[in-house]
Amino acid sequence: KELTTAGRGSATFTSEHQGIDIVVNALVSAAEVLITLHLAQPLGIDKDGTPRPDLLESPRSDASLDDLLAELAGIEAGYLGTYRGQSGLSLSAAVADRNPSADTSMKNALVKAKAALSAIPGPLRTAVVERRDPVLAAHAACREVKRALATEVAGALGTSLGFTVTDGD
């Protein structure tokens, strides 16, 4: 409710722009967590290239790929303004209004990332060690989602980006 009334009675957000900034920053942060913590670290590309399947989320249940797809679905839902089959105000519509090619780029990045994650032969704990190419391709595709959010979406909406949880001190 606070976001929908941003700048028009919200106790949290004094302007609509402030609410949009919060959402865009949250999506960028979620994309960064997906890329860095859930893909780069298990792949070992954040350090010396040695795979670290023990750093995967849900390695024992072999639900890591499902978790990654769910994270991406959350980013997509946040951008498209959808939740459990319901639609609401969307960043996509606001971006398309200001810069249609930025909206198209973001949507294309989401489709490609979903396809790349879906192409990883499971389980992910094995793939990061033995079948790395599809996982590396998914990492690159997810980085493109973050890039589109941080540059094209943020640029179209005039969003100021802050630090993410993986930026360090």
Side-chain angles (χ1 to χ4, degrees):
K1 180 180 180 216
E2 290 298 311
L3 279 171
T4 60
T5 60
R8 296 169 291 151
S10 169
T12 306
F13 305 110
T14 58
S15 71
E16 185 177 272
H17 190 72
Q18 184 185 26
I20 290 171
D21 281 0
I22 292 290
V23 173
V24 172
N25 274 278
L27 293 176
V28 170
S29 183
E32 182 62 26
V33 166
L34 174 64
I35 295 161
T36 303
L37 300 179
H38 299 153
L39 284 169
Q41 286 183 358
L43 279 165
I45 59 177
D46 66 324
K47 299 263 187 227
D48 62 3
T50 302
R52 296 282 316 269
D54 57 303
L55 296 178
L56 286 168
E57 186 171 325
S58 308
R60 290 184 181 94
S61 67
D62 284 334
S64 299
L65 280 173
D66 291 337
D67 292 344
L68 294 175
L69 285 163
E71 286 180 73
L72 185 64
I75 293 167
E76 181 178 46
Y79 183 69
L80 299 177
T82 58
Y83 180 72
R84 295 186 178 181
Q86 302 290 320
S87 294
L89 299 172
S90 73
L91 291 176
S92 175
V95 172
D97 186 52
R98 292 165 179 83
N99 185 340
S101 67
D103 181 56
T104 299
S105 178
M106 180 61 198
K107 287 177 178 174
N108 287 340
L110 287 164
V111 168
K112 289 177 184 175
K114 190 183 307 182
L117 286 170
S118 296
I120 296 172
L124 190 55
R125 66 179 163 75
T126 305
V128 297
V129 177
E130 298 172 8
R131 295 179 300 277
R132 293 175 57 81
D133 288 344
V135 186
L136 290 166
H139 178 263
C142 290
R143 274 193 0 244
E144 183 57 25
V145 168
K146 182 191 173 205
R147 188 211 58 78
L149 279 166
T151 60
E152 297 185 57
V153 170
L157 298 173
T159 299
S160 300
L161 295 178
F163 293 105
T164 65
V165 295
T166 61
D167 285 336
D169 294 325

